[in-house]
Each structure stands twice: as C-alpha cells, then as structure tokens.
C-alpha cells in the first residue's frame, strides 16, 4: 500500500484487488472501533455496485462492535429489496447475513414506496438516527462511495437533477441513460460526513480517476468531483490499475 495526497485528498494505492479489499475492510473495522470508543456509535453508508462486495465479505469476518454500528445506503436502485439489482440484497448477502448485526441497525431504503416518497422517508430516518451538525445536517461517520466510468458516484449521474439539489439530503433521481429511477444521497449529506472513502479498482476506471483527481484535460467536471467533505476526510482507495494515470 502506498499513500500520497492530491490537494486535500488522500490516495491509497494497493497492488491488486485483493490487497485493496483487505486494506479497506481492516480500515473500516478500525474506524468503527475508534468511533464507538469516541462517541458510542458508528454510522456507515454503504456503497452499491460490484466493487465493494468482496470488502463487505471480508468485513463480516472481522471483529467489529456490530451492535453499535448503524448501516445506511448512499444510494439504491428503485427495485424490490430481493431483486438482483438491489444494493440492499448485495449487502445482505455479503455482510448482514454473515455478521451478528441487529435488524434495527440496518436502515433499508423502502423502494416499494416509489422513488420520491422513499427518498423523503429515508431522509427522515437518517435525521432520526444520526445527530446533526450545528448546521442541522446529520454527520455520518463514514460514507463509502464507488465511481462509474462516467464519473458518477452514488446515483449522482452526469446531467441529472440531483446534482443541483442543495437543500434535501436524499432525493429520487431519474437517470435517463438507464431509463430508471434511483434514490441517492445529495451533496449536502455527503459533504457533511466525517469521512468519505471512494473504493475504485480496475483499468477501466483509470481514465476517470485521473480526470477526477488531476482534472480533465478538456476542463470537464464530473459528479464525483462534487464530493468534498466540508470538515471531513476524503480518501480514494484504488488499485494500481485504476492509478495508472496518477504515476
Ligand atoms: C450503484 C452505485 C454506483 C456504483 C458505481 C460503481 O448503485 O451502482 O452506488 O455509484 O458505486 O456505479 O459500480 P461498480 O463497483 O460496479 O463499478
């Protein structure tokens, strides 16, 4: 593992996917223990997609204060929770079913309500579960995010309405390129977090990782660049393939 900074962003590069997954899982477990020791609880927003599955499986086997951890989702597909596309289903298979986590600590997005209502209900659940900062925004201890090759993160996709949301914390977001509704954290909630960790691997992500961290040569901006915690840590956990443009 090698670490360096790009501006105020910490970049941690592991040799391969397995090393990366093991390093991230261990770091999450340690962060959970530190948070519980410091303020009695640990709140984490899980990322969806395929990259984090192996991390969650490794984390499930680690020593964590499970009963003190509150689990949320940074975004969700608007599908039933037993649908193959569901981020909740992936987390249940990879983590919740393998560790002794109280059901009450798992905050599922109620996609059966439809995107708009589910988003409003989820925001209320987050506000009820997580203490707010002075500014009134809940401060999640750790938000895990992925990044798509188009620079999207959570379900903040290029040219979608949710990118402009600066008041609500969770919104429904229609993604025309997918012809699908999503539910997603917005920048106000993401940027209030104590820590945001991107988990990105693979050569197909290298070009966009370079654009996000070093700037796009054409001057374009991407949704993942809008994630900049106001008073929190920003870390990119990547493998050497995804780091190809960083040197
Ligand atoms: C989702 C996500 C999304 C994901 C990226 C990367 O629900 O799909 O949360 O933002 O993290 O698309 O996905 P992969 O890990 O599958 O490349």
């Amino acid at each position: 593992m090698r670490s360096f900074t790009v501006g105020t962003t910490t970049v941690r590069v592991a040799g391969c996917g397995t090393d990366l997954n093991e390093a991230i899982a261990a770091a999450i477990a340690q962060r959970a223990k530190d948070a519980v020791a410091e303020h009695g609880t640990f709140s984490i927003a899980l990322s969806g997609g395929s990259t984090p599955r192996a991390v969650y499986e490794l984390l499930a086997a680690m020593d964590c204060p499970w009963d003190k951890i509150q689990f949320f989702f940074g975004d969700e597909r608007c599908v039933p929770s037993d649908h193959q596309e569901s981020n909740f289903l992936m987390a249940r298979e990879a983590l919740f079913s393998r560790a002794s986590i109280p059901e009450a600590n798992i905050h599922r997005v109620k996609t059966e309500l439809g995107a708009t209502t589910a988003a409003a209900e989820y925001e209320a659940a987050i506000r009820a579960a997580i203490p707010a900062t002075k500014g009134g925004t809940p401060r999640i201890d750790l938000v895990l995010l992925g990044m798509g090759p188009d620079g999207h993160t959570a379900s903040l996709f290029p040219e979608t309405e949710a990118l402009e949301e600066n008041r609500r914390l969770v919104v429904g977001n229609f993604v025309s390129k997918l012809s699908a509704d999503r539910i997603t954290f917005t920048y106000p909630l993401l940027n209030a977090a104590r820590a945001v960790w991107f988990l990105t691997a693979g050569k197909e992500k290298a070009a966009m990782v370079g654009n996000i961290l070093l700037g796009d040569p054409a001057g374009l901006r991407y949704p993942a660049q809008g994630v900049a915690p106001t008073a929190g840590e920003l870390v990119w956990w990547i493998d050497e393939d995804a780091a190809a443009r960083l040197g």
Side-chain angles (χ1 to χ4, degrees):
M1 179 70 64
R2 60 191 176 95
S3 289
F4 52 93
T5 55
V6 177
T8 56
T9 303
T10 301
V11 181
R12 297 204 174 106
V13 186
C16 65
T18 307
D19 293 350
L20 181 66
N21 295 335
E22 286 169 354
I24 296 167
I28 294 170
Q30 189 57 54
R31 188 58 59 94
K33 291 174 195 168
D34 294 348
V36 169
E38 183 193 310
H39 54 271
T41 183
F42 177 61
S43 53
I44 182 171
L46 300 178
S47 171
S50 56
T51 302
R53 181 186 284 267
V55 173
Y56 300 162
E57 288 170 351
L58 290 165
L59 180 63
M62 293 186 172
D63 170 33
C64 278
W66 296 117
D67 62 325
K68 301 279 194 311
I69 303 178
Q70 296 293 328
F71 291 89
F72 298 88
F73 291 84
D75 75 317
E76 185 56 281
R77 291 84 180 275
C78 231
V79 295
S81 296
D82 59 358
H83 189 285
Q84 273 314 305
E85 289 295 304
S86 165
N87 289 335
F88 172 82
L89 179 66
M90 185 271 278
R92 187 171 66 188
E93 290 173 344
L95 177 56
F96 302 151
S97 62
R98 299 168 185 230
S100 47
I101 300 167
E103 276 297 318
N105 290 24
I106 300 169
H107 302 272
R108 178 182 68 86
V109 180
K110 294 175 180 160
T111 54
E112 60 276 17
L113 301 174
T116 304
T117 306
E121 193 273 345
Y122 205 54
E123 174 166 336
I126 290 171
R127 287 186 181 279
I130 299 177
T133 58
K134 288 190 293 295
T137 304
R139 189 158 158 76
I140 298 172
D141 288 313
L142 177 59
V143 176
L144 303 180
L145 292 174
M147 183 205 70
D150 61 358
H152 82 260
T153 189
S155 285
L156 298 169
F157 283 79
E159 298 168 28
T160 61
E161 284 186 19
L163 295 173
E164 308 308 321
E165 180 61 46
N166 57 23
R167 189 178 49 80
R168 291 174 293 171
L169 306 181
V170 186
V171 294
N173 193 31
F174 180 72
V175 183
S176 51
K177 74 184 282 191
L178 303 175
S179 301
D181 277 317
R182 292 281 187 100
I183 293 121
T184 186
F185 282 13
T186 59
Y187 290 129
L189 183 54
L190 291 170
N191 290 333
R194 277 196 173 80
V196 178
W197 292 358
F198 278 90
L199 288 47
T200 300
K203 56 173 73 68
E204 73 282 2
K205 303 281 177 77
M208 189 50 72
V209 167
N211 290 339
I212 303 292
L213 292 176
L214 304 178
D216 181 312
L220 298 175
R221 286 211 31 101
Y222 302 93
Q225 289 170 293
V227 179
T230 313
E233 169 191 68
L234 178 59
V235 181
W236 281 74
W237 295 84
I238 59 179
D239 67 357
E240 286 294 355
D241 283 343
R245 278 187 53 192
L246 303 184

